[in-house]
Amino acid sequence: MNPVTRLPSRMGHNNVEKMHGHGGYDSDFSDDEHCGESSKRKRRAIEDDLLLKKPFQKEKHGKVAHKQVAAELLDREEARNRRFHLIAMDAYQRHTKFVNDYILYYGGKKEDFRRLGENDKTDMDVIRENHRFLWNEEDEMDMNWEKRLAKKYYDKLFKEYCIADLSRYKENKFGFRWRVEKEVISGKGQFFCGNKYCDKKESLKSWEVNFGYIEHGEKRNALVKLRLCQECSFKLNFHHRRKEVKSKKRKDKIKQDCEESSHKKSRLSSADETSKKKDKGHSSSKKSENSVNRHSDEKESTSESELWKGPPPETDEKSQEEEFDEYFQDLFL
């Protein structure tokens, strides 16, 4: 009999496992089974994706994008951010950024970009150059933008009363300008003295002045109204007296005062005559008194009879507009 070699217990156990297909060995059909399951899973995932895909949804790129595509996307994103930053800036910040970028890429100095401000003009400078005290039809013939700006400013001025500069009154030189809205609201030139350096309210007088001036090489005249206090009106009339403007009511009062003074004078003269006549005799005075009394009685009787003859005469009542006109005439004079 051949001797039987006895193997160790561990080796025997491993061999048994290999025989039954466990451990490190598999069956011949194991790879095919695993491949079939993975392919089924892939198919199911593709079908699910097709079902869940929306019409506006873009296709998924399974592979890595090309470098050119990635560069284009980056450029778009950078351009979007740059545009956002430029819109957020104001005009001056945007200008300085472009200048700095230009110097950074092309070289140069900031002094080369500094503009000369010698010929710069503001709106006020343009108005001063093209302003006119009074605009005529000839002045409005050839209108550029500068003249239009000056005309627009002129239309906003209030031309009822003037503001005067009387600082050179001894040389017989005066400066006049129209009033601005702020001065009209405050009452300067109408309820306050129209002198530039005076704000008095008391004893104001209205004056009409023939204002002669030279404008753009032309000599012109304009009739101007002023409201001045007593001191400033003395300065205005230092060389020769101007025309004072008075309201109608004041003129009527002056006329009435003159008439009353003339009546008083006539009464005084008649009283003197009567006193002289009294010395001549009492008889003549009694006769005159009787005649005066008769005349007064006759007048009273005629007035009473006239009252009962008919209705009283109608008086012309003024309308509201006429009363307003009279009121404003007193204000503006």
Side-chain angles (χ1 to χ4, degrees), residues 58-276:
K58 294 181 179 178
E59 294 182 0
K60 293 180 180 179
H61 296 285
K63 296 179 182 179
V64 179
H66 196 268
K67 286 183 180 180
Q68 189 174 359
V69 177
E72 286 177 359
L73 289 170
L74 284 171
D75 290 340
R76 284 179 190 171
E77 193 67 27
E78 285 181 2
R80 195 180 292 113
N81 292 332
R82 200 181 297 116
R83 197 180 302 113
F84 174 75
H85 287 302
L86 286 172
I87 290 165
M89 293 178 184
D90 59 3
Y92 180 72
Q93 290 175 348
R94 205 178 299 126
H95 172 71
T96 50
K97 184 187 181 304
F98 288 150
V99 168
N100 291 330
D101 292 344
Y102 182 87
I103 292 168
L104 183 65
Y105 291 119
Y106 298 102
K109 297 178 182 178
K110 279 191 175 181
E111 295 175 357
D112 301 335
F113 291 92
R114 285 178 185 171
R115 54 189 298 277
L116 298 171
E118 295 175 356
N119 298 323
D120 290 351
K121 291 180 183 178
T122 60
D123 291 345
M124 205 64 202
D125 296 332
V126 173
I127 289 169
R128 280 197 190 100
E129 287 181 3
N130 297 278
H131 179 68
R132 294 181 182 276
F133 191 74
L134 289 172
W135 283 76
N136 300 328
E137 293 179 359
E138 296 175 358
D139 300 331
E140 298 178 16
M141 292 294 288
D142 299 325
M143 295 283 281
N144 51 10
W145 71 271
E146 297 172 342
K147 288 184 178 180
R148 281 198 296 272
L149 184 65
K151 182 68 168 63
K152 195 173 182 181
Y153 174 77
Y154 170 81
D155 292 335
K156 290 181 179 180
L157 297 173
F158 294 84
K159 304 165 194 71
E160 185 64 33
Y161 292 102
C162 273
I163 303 295
D165 186 1
L166 307 174
S167 57
R168 300 173 67 181
Y169 71 96
K170 289 183 180 179
E171 302 173 19
N172 200 18
K173 291 181 179 179
F174 305 101
F176 297 107
R177 65 170 176 82
W178 301 119
R179 293 189 299 166
V180 191
E181 185 179 1
K182 193 184 289 184
E183 292 170 340
V184 174
I185 292 166
S186 65
K188 177 69 175 171
Q190 184 176 358
F191 304 111
F192 293 89
C193 181
N195 188 4
K196 189 179 177 182
Y197 306 105
C198 181
D199 292 324
K200 288 185 179 179
K201 273 185 177 182
E202 294 81 14
S203 63
L204 296 177
K205 292 183 178 180
S206 300
W207 300 96
E208 261 187 10
V209 182
N210 187 11
F211 178 42
Y213 60 97
I214 296 169
E215 191 175 63
H216 298 288
E218 293 182 24
K219 193 173 181 180
R220 295 189 174 188
N221 290 316
L223 198 63
V224 172
K225 280 184 185 178
L226 287 171
R227 291 273 288 168
L228 299 174
C229 65
Q230 195 169 358
E231 293 178 7
C232 297
S233 25
F234 170 75
K235 291 178 182 179
L236 182 71
N237 301 312
F238 186 76
H239 287 278
H240 57 273
R241 187 173 177 79
R242 267 76 180 184
K243 184 183 176 183
E244 187 178 356
V245 182
K246 295 179 181 178
S247 62
K248 290 181 180 179
K249 286 185 178 179
R250 286 181 68 189
K251 288 178 182 177
D252 294 338
K253 284 180 182 177
I254 291 164
K255 285 181 180 178
Q256 285 178 1
D257 294 337
C258 294
E259 288 174 359
E260 285 175 1
S261 63
S262 63
H263 282 302
K264 284 178 182 178
K265 287 178 182 178
S266 63
R267 284 173 187 171
L268 288 169
S269 61
S270 62
D272 293 333
E273 287 175 359
T274 52
S275 62
K276 288 177 183 178

Side-chain angles (χ1 to χ4, degrees), residues 33-45:
E33 287 175 1
H34 288 300
C35 289
E37 287 177 1
S38 62
S39 63
K40 283 179 182 178
R41 286 174 187 169
K42 285 179 182 178
R43 284 176 187 171
R44 282 177 187 172

